[in-house]
């Protein structure tokens, strides 16, 4: 009888043909998966800059540490002074004007200025609720890496909280003898500021600024309304103008326990009063025009900073007396 064959009989020759086919299909699927993953990595939306609770970051050091390894915030570099330029989300034009004048515009210049003066400079900014603002900030950080990020909402009424958060963050990230708070609408001479800070002082608790007194505004309609006015009285105590002032390290180490008032410069003044610090009045940091001794120039008393700062900053920088006059020793001030 001739042999019969079942439909389910295994044929070695057919199995040999089927194996290469399965391998080809598998390779095709793996290749397609790799292409899909690559496209996803390239085309996916960029993550928006976010803040963890209490987060602070020096983007300059973080950027450098990513290139060489590390977390960027483990060390506190020793400095004569740290200068935090207070800025906001609507102040991109001011920052650009600063970077085109006295503030370094790239990482190498930032390092050279720090080495020459002993001062480190960063723009200080908090967070915004709007995702588009955070996205624009992320782009600017990627380009310049000259920011200190602090976990506080950017809002005028919350300036005292931002000021406190700034000093705490600066103290955490930098081991400086002095901490400077400056606004983004003043023209500054870093070399002269360094000379001022290098002076010998008998008082470890020091508060340097352009000192003033003034009336307390108790009417809510006023910009500088003081909600604690009934506790303060008719006139504020001695305190520095807000656009720029300096605190010694011993002061900054202690201010976290102080109470906030409504106005940022008054808040600092109240802390200084409570701590019995030495008030050092220096008019060279509130000069209305460039002179041989001016450290910071702004349009006092007409504006709390430079009027139209994006334009005025460049005008002042083009004046030889402002940008190129020599640094004077502190004894001449």
């Amino acid at each position: 009888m001739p042999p019969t064959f079942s439909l389910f009989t295994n044929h070695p020759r057919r199995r040999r043909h089927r194996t290469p086919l399965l391998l080809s299909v598998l390779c095709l699927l793996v290749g397609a998966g790799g292409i899909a993953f690559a496209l996803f990595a390239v085309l996916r939306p960029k993550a928006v800059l976010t803040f963890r609770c209490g987060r602070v970051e020096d983007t300059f050091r973080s950027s450098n540490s990513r290139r060489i390894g590390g977390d960027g915030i483990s060390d506190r570099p020793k400095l004569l002074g740290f200068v935090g330029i207070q800025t906001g989300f609507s102040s991109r034009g001011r920052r650009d004007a600063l970077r085109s004048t006295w503030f370094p515009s790239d990482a190498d210049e930032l390092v050279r200025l720090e080495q020459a003066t002993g001062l480190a400079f960063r723009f200080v900014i908090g967070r915004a609720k709007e995702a588009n603002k955070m996205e624009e900030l992320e782009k600017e950080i990627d380009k310049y890496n000259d920011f200190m990020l602090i976990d506080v909402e950017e809002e005028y009424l919350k300036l005292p909280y931002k000021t406190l958060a700034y000093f705490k963050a600066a103290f955490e990230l930098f081991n400086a003898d002095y901490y400077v708070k400056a606004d983004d609408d003043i023209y500054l001479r870093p070399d002269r500021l360094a000379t001022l800070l290098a002076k010998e002082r008998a008082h470890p608790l020091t508060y340097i600024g352009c000192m003033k007194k003034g009336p307390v505004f108790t009417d809510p309609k006023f910009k500088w309304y003081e909600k604690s006015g009934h506790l303060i009285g008719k006139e504020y105590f001695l305190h520095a103008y807000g656009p720029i002032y300096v605190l010694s390290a011993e002061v900054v180490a202690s201010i976290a326990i102080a109470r906030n008032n409504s106005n940022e410069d008054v808040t600092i003044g109240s802390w200084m009063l409570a701590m019995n610090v030495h008030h050092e009045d220096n008019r060279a940091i509130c000069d209305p025009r460039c002179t041989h001794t001016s450290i910071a120039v702004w349009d006092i008393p007409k504006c709390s900073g430079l009027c139209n700062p994006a334009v005025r900053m460049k005008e002042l920088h083009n004046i030889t007396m402002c940008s190129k006059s020599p640094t004077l020793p502190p004894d001449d001030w």
Side-chain angles (χ1 to χ4, degrees):
M1 175 182 288
T4 59
F5 296 92
S6 169
L7 291 175
F8 300 102
T9 301
N10 291 327
H11 296 280
R13 182 176 299 176
R14 290 182 182 177
R15 192 162 49 243
R16 286 197 298 270
H17 285 296
R18 189 182 303 151
T19 300
L21 178 62
L22 290 174
L23 288 173
S24 298
V25 172
L26 181 61
C27 290
L28 181 62
L29 291 174
V30 170
I35 293 173
F37 179 79
L39 288 174
F40 172 76
V42 172
L43 298 179
R44 67 176 178 174
K46 189 173 181 180
V48 177
L49 183 67
T50 57
F51 286 81
R52 299 187 300 274
C53 182
R55 170 187 172 183
V56 298
E57 181 182 350
D58 173 15
T59 63
F60 179 79
R61 285 155 63 199
S62 296
S63 174
N64 288 340
S65 70
R66 282 193 292 269
R67 290 196 294 268
I68 62 176
D71 59 13
I73 61 173
S74 57
D75 299 323
R76 295 174 71 228
K78 178 60 181 174
L79 301 166
L80 170 62
F82 177 77
V83 184
I85 309 298
Q86 311 298 303
T87 192
F89 288 92
S90 62
S91 298
R92 177 61 189 268
R94 295 184 181 186
R95 293 192 292 273
D96 288 342
L98 285 168
R99 293 188 186 108
S100 67
T101 55
W102 65 265
F103 192 98
S105 59
D106 61 47
D108 291 338
E109 291 183 5
L110 205 60
V111 170
R112 282 195 293 269
L113 180 61
E114 182 176 326
Q115 292 173 342
T117 63
L119 306 178
F121 294 82
R122 301 289 189 273
F123 288 109
V124 181
I125 197 166
R127 51 182 162 77
K129 297 178 180 177
E130 298 86 356
N132 63 315
K133 290 183 179 180
M134 299 303 290
E135 290 172 357
E136 289 301 312
L137 175 61
E138 179 77 357
K139 293 176 184 177
E140 192 175 352
I141 290 172
D142 288 343
K143 184 175 181 179
Y144 295 106
N145 284 311
D146 54 6
F147 283 88
M148 172 191 282
L149 306 177
I150 57 177
D151 186 21
V152 64
E153 187 177 347
E154 285 287 343
E155 185 178 331
Y156 181 79
L157 294 179
K158 295 182 178 179
L159 275 181
Y161 301 100
K162 180 180 180 180
T163 301
L164 176 59
Y166 157 64
F167 281 118
K168 291 177 66 175
F171 188 77
E172 176 182 339
L173 295 176
F174 296 91
N175 180 15
D177 294 333
Y178 295 94
Y179 296 86
V180 183
K181 179 266 178 187
D183 290 346
D184 60 6
D185 56 356
I186 64 170
Y187 187 88
L188 187 64
R189 282 288 300 262
D191 54 338
R192 292 180 182 167
L193 177 61
T195 305
L196 171 67
L197 299 185
K199 291 175 61 176
E200 291 289 336
R201 291 180 172 84
H203 304 276
L205 300 176
T206 301
Y207 174 34
I208 308 171
C210 197
M211 300 296 170
K212 65 168 181 174
K213 289 185 177 181
V216 175
F217 294 97
T218 56
D219 188 339
K221 297 178 182 178
F222 283 96
K223 177 181 179 180
W224 292 286
Y225 163 63
E226 177 56 76
K227 63 181 180 181
S228 301
H230 63 290
L231 300 175
I232 299 172
K234 294 183 178 180
E235 186 179 60
Y236 283 120
F237 33 79
L238 189 68
H239 62 281
Y241 279 98
I244 180 172
Y245 51 83
V246 184
L247 302 181
S248 64
E250 289 81 357
V251 174
V252 175
S254 305
I255 63 173
I257 60 173
R259 181 181 183 276
N260 287 356
N261 292 101
S262 297
N263 296 308
E264 173 258 325
D265 53 352
V266 174
T267 295
I268 291 293
S270 68
W271 295 341
M272 301 306 100
L273 186 66
M275 295 170 61
N276 194 30
V277 305
H278 174 66
H279 290 60
E280 185 176 315
D281 185 23
N282 192 307
R283 298 287 144 173
I285 62 176
C286 60
D287 211 326
R289 60 188 179 86
C290 293
T291 68
H292 287 293
T293 60
S294 56
I295 299 172
V297 178
W298 42 286
D299 294 323
I300 182 175
K302 186 165 53 174
C303 296
S304 58
L306 289 173
C307 304
N308 193 6
V311 174
R312 288 276 289 136
M313 198 77 65
K314 297 177 182 179
E315 292 176 349
L316 291 173
H317 196 65
N318 289 328
I319 300 173
T320 300
M321 180 63 72
C322 292
S323 59
K324 298 179 181 179
S325 56
T327 305
L328 299 179
D331 290 343
D332 291 344
W333 294 355

